[in-house]
Amino acid sequence: MRLLADAGSWSMFMGRSHPLVVHLPIGILIIAFVLAVLARSSGRASLKAALPPVLLAAAISAVYSCIAGYMLSLDGGYDDQLLQTHQWLGIGVAVISILLYILEKIAIRKGPVKLQLPLFLVMVLLLSAAGHYGGSLTHGEDYLTKAMPPGLRKLTGNDTRSTHVATYTNIGDAKLYEDLVVPVLTERCYGCHNEQKLKGGLRLESLEQIRRGGEHGPVLKDSLPEESELYKRLILSENDEHRMPPKGKPQLAPQELELLYWWIAQGAPTGKAVKDLPKTARIQAVLAGMVPSRPLDKNEFVPEVAVSKASEKSIAALEAKGVKVMPIGAESNYVAVSCINAIDFNDKDMALLLPLQAQLIWLDLSGTGITDAAFPTIAKLSKLTRLELKHTAMKGNLPDPLAACTELRYLNFTGTKIADAGILSLGKNKKLQQIYLYQTGIQPATMQQLQQTMPKLLIDTGASQMEQLASDTTVYRRIQS
């Protein structure tokens, strides 16, 4: 059993070495071709002595590339016709490399062989074709043509590529899936998940294919972005082998990630216009920065005053901990910080946020290891308008823990057993508009007292039923988070 496991590991290793070693025979054979052409001149006849070792190296590397390529093909996820074409062209290159080496050895003993030069020319053609089909397998058939300048596309007859053209003039009229999500998938994902290249057995050209999933099952769970592989793999560490797109390929911009998250959170609808869907403050900022657009409702979650750009060094220090730091808009230096992938983030790490206190307005510390000891640092982040402290060990027993956060509009304590005193102290946060208290254990009387202090505050208690007090005239309603 151990031998079988070792054999499987070696097979996988050899297969994945194919993209590395395949360039060796290409380079060596081109050098051999140049040497063969130059050696035909009487003044450069001495170059013929270099041909046998060069051709031998080319033959060996070409044969190994064929074997490694076959091992890689066993992983699946490639278009069969493209794969077979590339495979046979590669084998042809390897066979001709061996023949060229044999003919050169014969030529040394018996004199020039007439077939050598024609065979070299056939080898160059096969090499070019094999490289083209290999590129198509890896990046898609239109990988080269879609990057052509317009004039060259027209000249070569490749001016038929389909380009998504916006049909809306107001971002509110845009269709979420058709106009906003499809272009993201087209630019960032189709190269590896299309009819020609089925990485993981997954195609993304249509919603039907997305819902069908891939080799490992469904990739989309309606209304649950964090549980959907389509989104989860986009936010993995860059060094994680399951991250999509893989390291080294163009990555999704933060705004594109937000659009995909919002689309999935809405149930992955089709035909729905942006203006008809509920929006969080986060997605409002993304939409406001898109073109074509007109201003949406005034977004009080984003300050109007301009701010300098955050220090790249400070951002790098946070990202080294697995923290996501994202601009909240295309033209804004304000940032959002999320610890969704940094569950080990704790009270000691809070100091890393302070260099960003001028730019940090949205902070998500949900699920981290922070306690009440983090409140003094949060209090120094005076620009915060949105704060999420879901499922943490905070208790809020400190006096007025968030009183210094005077710009706070949104606060989420879901799943955090915050003390009644900590909730009542929020009466000093006069700009607070929304608070989430689901599964916090807060007593109805405490919420009623907070509501009386802040009549316009929207309090979300989740699915729980509030105990009706005799004097209670407040309606508690669930709102979109």
Side-chain angles (χ1 to χ4, degrees):
M1 207 69 174
R2 176 70 178 274
L3 289 174
L4 287 174
D6 288 345
S9 296
W10 276 105
S11 174
M12 182 181 295
F13 173 76
M14 285 185 67
R16 293 189 179 185
S17 71
H18 177 72
L20 174 67
V21 300
V22 75
H23 297 93
L24 288 175
I26 295 174
I28 296 171
L29 283 168
I30 290 174
I31 291 172
F33 175 69
V34 172
L35 287 174
V37 172
L38 293 176
R40 292 175 65 84
S41 169
S42 58
R44 299 188 181 93
S46 59
L47 293 176
K48 289 184 66 67
L51 273 174
V54 171
L55 287 171
L56 179 61
I60 292 172
S61 58
V63 170
Y64 180 84
S65 293
C66 287
I67 296 172
Y70 173 73
M71 298 293 187
L72 183 61
S73 71
L74 298 179
D75 288 346
Y78 298 98
D79 178 75
D80 288 341
Q81 186 174 353
L82 272 178
L83 178 62
Q84 288 184 14
T85 304
H86 175 65
Q87 177 179 304
W88 284 111
L89 286 170
I91 292 172
V93 170
V95 170
I96 290 179
S97 299
I98 296 170
L99 287 175
L100 284 170
Y101 171 70
I102 294 171
L103 289 175
E104 184 60 33
K105 296 295 287 185
I106 293 172
I108 291 173
R109 294 196 304 268
K110 299 182 178 181
V113 179
K114 291 183 179 180
L115 285 175
Q116 270 186 297
L117 191 58
L119 207 55
F120 262 116
L121 293 173
V122 172
M123 178 271 297
V124 170
L125 292 174
L126 287 178
L127 198 60
S128 301
H132 168 71
Y133 282 100
S136 297
L137 279 172
T138 305
H139 304 291
E141 283 190 304
D142 62 346
Y143 179 71
L144 181 62
T145 56
K146 73 179 181 181
M148 282 183 176
L152 185 57
R153 285 203 309 271
K154 188 173 182 180
L155 182 65
T156 57
N158 285 299
D159 203 22
T160 57
R161 67 175 184 168
S162 59
T163 302
H164 184 87
V165 178
T167 57
Y168 57 91
T169 56
N170 183 345
I171 193 67
D173 295 329
K175 297 289 193 297
L176 176 53
Y177 173 70
E178 292 83 352
D179 293 325
L180 304 185
V181 172
V182 167
V184 174
L185 297 176
T186 301
E187 283 297 315
R188 308 297 188 188
C189 308
Y190 284 3
C192 291
H193 300 286
N194 56 67
E195 186 178 3
Q196 285 76 39
K197 186 178 180 184
L198 284 170
K199 190 166 186 180
L202 176 64
R203 290 179 63 180
L204 299 175
E205 295 106 311
S206 70
L207 184 56
E208 180 184 359
Q209 290 163 338
I210 295 173
R211 292 193 180 282
R212 192 179 299 144
E215 293 174 355
H216 304 293
V219 297
L220 187 63
K221 293 187 179 180
D222 290 353
S223 305
L224 296 172
E226 292 89 349
E227 299 299 321
S228 299
E229 291 295 323
L230 184 63
Y231 178 78
K232 283 170 63 178
R233 295 202 177 202
L234 298 173
I235 58 174
L236 293 173
S237 165
E238 288 188 5
N239 294 320
D240 193 306
E241 64 175 324
H242 299 298
R243 179 186 170 92
M244 295 295 154
K247 185 177 181 180
K249 292 198 174 185
Q251 301 296 308
L252 274 73
Q255 294 87 346
E256 294 172 327
L257 283 172
E258 289 297 333
L259 284 171
L260 283 175
Y261 183 96
W262 184 42
W263 174 62
I264 298 172
Q266 297 306 311
T270 58
K272 292 285 187 180
V274 166
K275 64 184 177 183
D276 298 327
L277 295 167
K279 303 169 193 66
T280 63
R282 197 182 191 99
I283 199 63
Q284 275 191 323
V286 170
L287 294 170
M290 296 182 68
V291 177
S293 70
R294 296 175 188 164
L296 301 175
D297 297 334
K298 181 182 177 182
N299 190 350
E300 295 185 5
F301 288 77
V302 182
E304 293 182 354
V305 180
V307 68
S308 61
K309 194 173 182 180
S311 162
E312 294 293 338
K313 183 177 179 181
S314 301
I315 293 174
L318 283 165
E319 291 181 338
K321 292 281 186 180
V323 176
K324 282 283 183 184
V325 181
M326 302 174 288
I328 56 88
E331 302 297 329
S332 177
N333 286 329
Y334 286 106
V335 298
V337 169
S338 172
C339 295
I340 188 172
N341 288 327
I343 58 174
D344 294 328
F345 196 84
N346 55 42
D347 297 332
K348 292 181 180 179
D349 299 320
M350 288 294 295
L352 296 174
L353 298 172
L354 293 178
L356 275 64
Q357 61 190 125
Q359 297 85 13
L360 179 51
I361 59 172
W362 298 349
L363 176 60
D364 188 350
L365 295 166
S366 303
T368 61
I370 59 170
T371 66
D372 280 1
F375 274 122
T377 303
I378 295 176
K380 295 178 182 179
L381 304 173
S382 58
K383 297 289 185 69
L384 284 181
T385 62
R386 182 182 180 96
L387 178 61
E388 302 206 37
L389 301 171
K390 297 179 291 186
H391 305 290
T392 67
M394 288 183 151
K395 300 298 181 185
N397 288 321
L398 300 177
D400 303 332
L402 294 173
C405 297
T406 55
E407 298 299 318
L408 200 60
R409 267 78 165 180
Y410 171 103
L411 182 58
N412 195 330
F413 278 123
T414 299
T416 295
K417 303 300 180 182
I418 199 76
D420 287 359
I423 293 299
L424 292 175
S425 70
L426 295 173
K428 298 181 179 180
N429 296 85
K430 300 302 182 182
K431 294 184 180 180
L432 191 62
Q433 300 172 10
Q434 305 171 26
I435 184 170
Y436 291 77
L437 299 174
Y438 180 51
Q439 293 181 334
T440 58
I442 297 296
Q443 295 302 309
T446 301
M447 284 187 263
Q448 171 69 10
Q449 188 175 344
L450 178 63
Q451 189 76 78
Q452 289 174 347
T453 304
M454 307 178 73
K456 294 183 179 180
L457 178 64
L458 295 177
I459 302 177
D460 183 7
T461 61
S464 60
Q465 295 295 318
M466 294 280 297
E467 176 186 344
Q468 294 293 316
L469 303 180
S471 60
D472 191 1
T473 58
T474 303
V475 177
Y476 290 88
R477 59 195 176 101
R478 187 176 183 85
I479 60 176
Q480 180 69 30
S481 62

